[in-house]
Amino acid sequence: MLIINFSDFPELETQRLKLRRADLNDANELFALRSDPNIMKYIPRPVATSLEEATEHFKMMDEKISNNEMINWAITLKDNPKMIGTIGYFRMKPEHYRAEIGYMLLPDFHGKGYVTEAINGVVDYGFTKMGLHSIEAMIDPENIASAKVLEKCSFVKEAHFKENEFYNGEFIDTVIYSKLNR
């Protein structure tokens, strides 16, 4: 089984980005992400309604990082420490050497290749440092932009599950993309 340990939190760098541990100083940006209906449109979670919710989300993430249950980075530009998005591994399955990747980016930074760059950096870390064998991404089938980014990062569509999740009073579909460490 894979041994996961984030006690020494890894900071990652790509050509234009720095991925660092998010903290309470990023609460306004996290609230901006999680309260934006357009960003949350494809994420089956409630839209944040207060800054307090963002603060509580940080506390939950810190606890899960401390327990080696997940890892989440703040996406920043190299020349500006302000958080522009988040990316991380959730639903880690150490017994299967597999983890799920998830990401969000503030609208002002869409269409510039930042998510692609962040995914590639986090995938490289997952394969080379964490020892993952496979990485999955679960997306809404209507989220065409996310599907295109994943395909650009060499993820392959594995499955389209019909009405496999119940959220907000309705059954929704899920598409799973994955990438193997080869």
Side-chain angles (χ1 to χ4, degrees), residues 153-166:
C153 294
S154 302
F155 279 70
V156 176
K157 184 177 176 180
E158 273 189 359
H160 184 144
F161 292 103
K162 300 287 187 179
E163 299 182 4
N164 66 313
E165 291 191 4
F166 187 76

Side-chain angles (χ1 to χ4, degrees), residues 20-28 30 58 61-62 74 83:
R20 60 164 175 80
R21 189 166 189 158
D23 60 37
L24 289 175
N25 294 319
D26 302 310
N28 287 326
L30 184 65
F58 274 121
M61 285 191 305
D62 272 346
M83 184 173 87

Side-chain angles (χ1 to χ4, degrees), residues 39 41-43 103 139-148 177:
I39 293 173
K41 179 179 180 180
Y42 300 117
I43 301 172
Y103 42 85
I139 67 168
D140 184 308
E142 294 179 16
N143 192 345
I144 305 302
S146 194
K148 285 181 180 179
Y177 280 81

Side-chain angles (χ1 to χ4, degrees), residues 43 86-88 90 101-105 115 119 137 139 146 149-150:
I43 301 172
T86 64
I87 188 166
F90 312 88
I101 194 169
Y103 42 85
M104 303 168 78
L105 195 68
V115 169
I119 289 172
I139 67 168
S146 194
V149 165
L150 291 166

